[in-house]
Amino acid sequence: MDSETAEQLTARQRAVWTAGDWPKIAPLIQQVADETVEAIGVGAGDDYLDVATGSGNAAEAAARRGARVTGLDLIPELVDVARARFDGADLEGSFVVGDAEELPFEADSFDRITSIFGAIFAPRHQVAADELVRVARPGAMIAVTGWTPEGINGQLIKILAERMPPPPDGFEPPALWGVEDHVSELFAGPGLELRFEKRMATMEFESADRWMEYTEENLGPVVMAKALLEPQGQWDAVRADLAALQERSNEVDDGSVRARAEYLLTMVSVQT
């Protein structure tokens, strides 16, 4: 993929995540952020970076453990939300606008680095992975979470992708970050040790209708797809597919929704 195409895809991602209301979605994955920060041992005095921080889920978890926090996101509005979140909680942290493929930091800057369902949307996976490693110090730990293709969120992304205009040649789907073989290739450099865990994020809603309304109103990729496909008369079919996916994934039968979304936690130990 050439740089011009990558820039176009980055601009598309910016539009997608601006279309929705991420701060309303973020609480659904707060537990993932908390558990990931704990899994790589973020602690007092660590220089910590959260890439694609969104509204600051993992950044807050790290700050409460005593780390010196830096958060980066592609979306200026989300950086503002994260800053306000820290101000409201009387926490210290630095937040900057930036691209996961071109981190504005010196090499060997951080002891702990996370990206919670964030760097996975960078158009060039290898470039994003290399940047995470570049800014990590010897002895650092990196953690990235990605939805697996088989899980409910991986399938949701697939349903939308099948109806949207095709991406350019060379595009790598974000769900590949949920595939161990693919991620192993991304972090195949010398001095890197990988560990994988498949985990679940639990999502609960009072009803199936509320689940659908919530995603249509707030989840950027769904908001964008609806805006494009509804005028063409194609959204009802997509909505039916999403409803069927939710029904298959629902673990309760009392009218509410409880679904577990599988994700891959990748932990990279930087030895050199």
Side-chain angles (χ1 to χ4, degrees), residues 7 23 25 28 36 41 55 57 78 80-81 84 91-92 95 127 130 134-135 140 161 175 185 214 219 229-230 246 262:
E7 289 175 4
I25 294 290
L28 296 177
T36 301
S55 52
N57 279 3
L78 292 180
D80 290 341
V81 170
L91 295 171
E92 292 187 4
F95 293 91
V127 173
D130 290 346
R134 181 184 66 80
V135 301
E185 292 178 1
Y214 196 82
L219 184 58
L229 298 174
E230 192 169 42
Q246 177 267 120
E262 185 181 62

Side-chain angles (χ1 to χ4, degrees), residues 6-7 9-11 13-14 51-52 72-75 96-105 119 121-124 127-128 131 134:
E7 289 175 4
L9 286 171
T10 298
Q13 290 299 335
R14 186 180 290 109
V51 177
L72 171 142
D73 203 275
L74 188 65
I75 311 300
V96 298
V97 177
D99 190 337
E101 292 192 354
E102 193 174 355
L103 298 175
F105 310 111
F121 292 100
R124 295 176 294 187
V127 173
E131 280 292 274
R134 181 184 66 80

Side-chain angles (χ1 to χ4, degrees), residues 47-82:
D47 289 315
Y48 165 84
L49 172 65
D50 189 31
V51 177
T53 193
S55 52
N57 279 3
E60 179 173 346
R64 293 194 181 281
R65 296 172 70 93
R68 292 185 290 269
V69 169
T70 301
L72 171 142
D73 203 275
L74 188 65
I75 311 300
E77 294 86 348
L78 292 180
V79 169
D80 290 341
V81 170

Side-chain angles (χ1 to χ4, degrees), residues 76-185:
E77 294 86 348
L78 292 180
V79 169
D80 290 341
V81 170
R83 285 180 182 142
R85 176 176 183 167
F86 266 53
D87 288 344
D90 198 24
L91 295 171
E92 292 187 4
S94 173
F95 293 91
V96 298
V97 177
D99 190 337
E101 292 192 354
E102 193 174 355
L103 298 175
F105 310 111
E106 299 292 332
D108 304 336
S109 291
F110 298 98
D111 303 300
R112 297 289 186 269
I113 302 169
T114 61
S115 188
I116 311 299
F117 310 117
I120 65 174
F121 292 100
R124 295 176 294 187
H125 293 185
Q126 190 64 64
V127 173
D130 290 346
E131 280 292 274
L132 294 173
V133 173
R134 181 184 66 80
V135 301
R137 292 173 178 152
M141 289 289 295
I142 302 167
V144 181
T145 61
W147 303 115
T148 65
E150 302 82 13
I152 182 173
N153 284 340
Q155 293 182 59
L156 181 150
I157 293 170
K158 181 181 179 182
I159 288 170
L160 298 179
E162 288 174 343
R163 303 298 182 99
M164 296 291 281
D169 293 340
F171 171 77
E172 296 177 292
L176 286 176
W177 281 90
V179 178
E180 290 186 20
D181 287 347
H182 178 73
V183 182
S184 294
E185 292 178 1

Side-chain angles (χ1 to χ4, degrees), residues 11-20 75 164 219-224:
R12 182 185 298 181
Q13 290 299 335
R14 186 180 290 109
V16 165
W17 297 109
T18 303
I75 311 300
M164 296 291 281
L219 184 58
V222 176
V223 173
M224 182 71 79

Side-chain angles (χ1 to χ4, degrees), residues 177-231:
W177 281 90
V179 178
E180 290 186 20
D181 287 347
H182 178 73
V183 182
S184 294
E185 292 178 1
L186 299 178
F187 294 103
L192 303 178
E193 294 184 0
L194 275 72
R195 182 159 60 94
F196 298 106
E197 292 182 14
K198 285 189 175 179
R199 296 186 173 193
M200 295 288 186
T202 301
M203 298 176 293
E204 296 180 304
F205 291 89
E206 57 267 33
S207 69
D209 287 343
R210 182 57 187 143
W211 178 84
M212 184 64 71
E213 291 170 358
Y214 196 82
T215 56
E216 284 184 308
E217 293 170 359
N218 300 303
L219 184 58
V222 176
V223 173
M224 182 71 79
K226 182 179 180 180
L228 177 66
L229 298 174
E230 192 169 42

